[in-house]
Amino acid sequence: MGILGPYTPLYLAGEAAHPWGMPRGEDGGQEMGPVDCSKHALHEVPQNLPTNTSTLWLGYNFITVLGPRSFPSLPGLLLLSLPHNHLGLIHSQALVGLGALQELDLSHNHLTVLSPETFLPLTSLATLNLGSNRLGELEPGVLHVLPQLQALHLQDNPWVCSCGILPLWRWLSHNREKVSLLCRLPEQLNKYPIMAFGNESFRQCQETSLSAQHYIIFLIIGPFSFMASIFFCTFMGSIIVVYHNLRRESHFWRRPHIGKGHSGRATRL
């Protein structure tokens, strides 16, 4: 069952089911299978999900935030669907424990920015649907941490075709068969294919590849450098003052002194 496919029955008639629709095996144990939590007016991910869930449907709920470790341990989860949830924020640790995940649907939400750290646990992810969100740019790290990615859906986002689109354009240039996108902004480029740009279109752009860690380091080093420069200037200024004072005293002791003799005339000592 594809990630964009319709919902299908989760258990056969007459089967005893888990409260979320998980079928049970002949021995009464839960079989690995799909769990449908869609259209349950949920505001967060249920925590009493079977650990052997393979497919989890959470679409058409009211989940607006995925906080740290939003999901219970689901080592066998292969497909996670979260469309139509008004989802606006995903914490960098939200998807921890979903290492087997192969398909992720985050379409039709309110996402404006995504952190590469969010997708680090998803080393097996092959299909990612980010369509119909509010993404204007996509950090290059998001794509770099998904080595198994085969299909990427980014349509119907307000892509801003400026220098900020350069990392995504570079990725698309090596994956033309995986996705096709159109500009939304600026207005004169509305519906212009992103892949119609050439290298010359980005000649005036200077891409910065600094991560958040680099900026934090600079923020830490900056004040220390400032204080060190003040200390150095004060130290050098003190040395110069001492040096001039020593020269002045040395010159004073070397000058010939004039005194008065017994006759009242000035005599040279």
Side-chain angles (χ1 to χ4, degrees):
M1 178 169 53
I3 192 168
L4 299 178
Y7 297 136
T8 57
L10 299 181
Y11 56 94
L12 300 177
E15 286 185 325
H18 183 272
W20 293 114
M22 173 65 72
R24 296 184 180 277
E26 294 180 358
D27 59 354
Q30 295 168 352
E31 298 176 354
M32 182 175 290
V35 174
D36 191 349
C37 299
S38 59
K39 299 181 181 179
H40 278 68
L42 299 174
H43 291 270
E44 59 184 17
V45 178
Q47 295 300 303
N48 60 337
L49 297 168
T51 57
N52 53 1
T53 300
S54 63
T55 300
L56 178 58
W57 300 93
L58 286 167
Y60 297 91
N61 283 296
F62 302 101
I63 303 173
T64 59
V65 176
L66 290 179
R69 297 184 177 272
S70 289
F71 296 86
S73 178
L74 299 173
L77 188 66
L78 302 178
L79 186 153
L80 174 60
S81 180
L82 281 157
H84 297 278
N85 265 286
H86 309 288
L87 187 61
L89 178 64
I90 302 179
H91 190 273
S92 60
Q93 301 296 314
L95 304 179
V96 171
L98 305 182
L101 197 66
Q102 296 179 3
E103 300 183 50
L104 176 60
D105 186 357
L106 297 171
S107 64
H108 298 278
N109 282 295
H110 298 166
L111 296 171
T112 59
V113 63
L114 293 169
S115 167
E117 289 76 16
T118 300
F119 299 94
L120 280 175
L122 310 184
T123 55
S124 301
L125 195 68
T127 301
L128 176 60
N129 190 350
L130 297 172
S132 299
N133 274 281
R134 299 177 180 178
L135 298 169
E137 300 176 2
L138 190 64
E139 290 191 42
V142 172
L143 305 173
H144 294 162
V145 300
L146 298 173
Q148 304 300 322
L149 193 63
Q150 299 177 8
L152 177 63
H153 303 277
L154 297 171
Q155 71 283 351
D156 297 325
N157 277 287
W159 299 111
V160 180
C161 289
S162 61
C163 289
I165 206 73
L166 178 57
L168 178 59
W169 177 85
R170 285 179 173 170
W171 187 88
L172 291 174
S173 64
H174 295 93
N175 301 272
R176 292 175 181 269
E177 75 285 355
K178 296 182 182 180
V179 64
S180 177
L181 298 179
L182 300 177
C183 300
R184 178 76 61 84
L185 297 171
E187 186 63 31
Q188 60 268 29
L189 292 176
N190 187 31
K191 296 184 179 181
Y192 188 82
I194 291 179
M195 290 316 300
F197 293 114
N199 284 315
E200 65 279 359
S201 300
F202 299 99
R203 285 180 180 174
Q204 303 301 319
C205 298
Q206 292 183 347
E207 179 187 5
T208 58
S209 57
L210 295 178
S211 64
Q213 289 83 355
H214 287 107
Y215 286 112
I216 292 175
I217 292 173
F218 288 147
L219 288 175
I220 294 175
I221 292 177
F224 279 105
S225 300
F226 177 71
M227 295 301 297
S229 63
I230 292 178
F231 175 79
F232 177 77
C233 292
T234 303
F235 177 73
M236 292 302 298
S238 301
I239 291 178
I240 293 174
V241 171
V242 171
Y243 174 74
H244 281 291
N245 288 338
L246 290 175
R247 286 197 60 186
R248 185 180 302 172
E249 291 181 4
S250 175
H251 181 69
F252 174 79
W253 289 110
R254 287 179 183 177
R255 284 188 312 175
H257 294 271
I258 305 298
K260 290 187 177 181
H262 294 290
S263 61
R265 293 183 180 180
T267 59
R268 188 179 298 273
L269 297 178

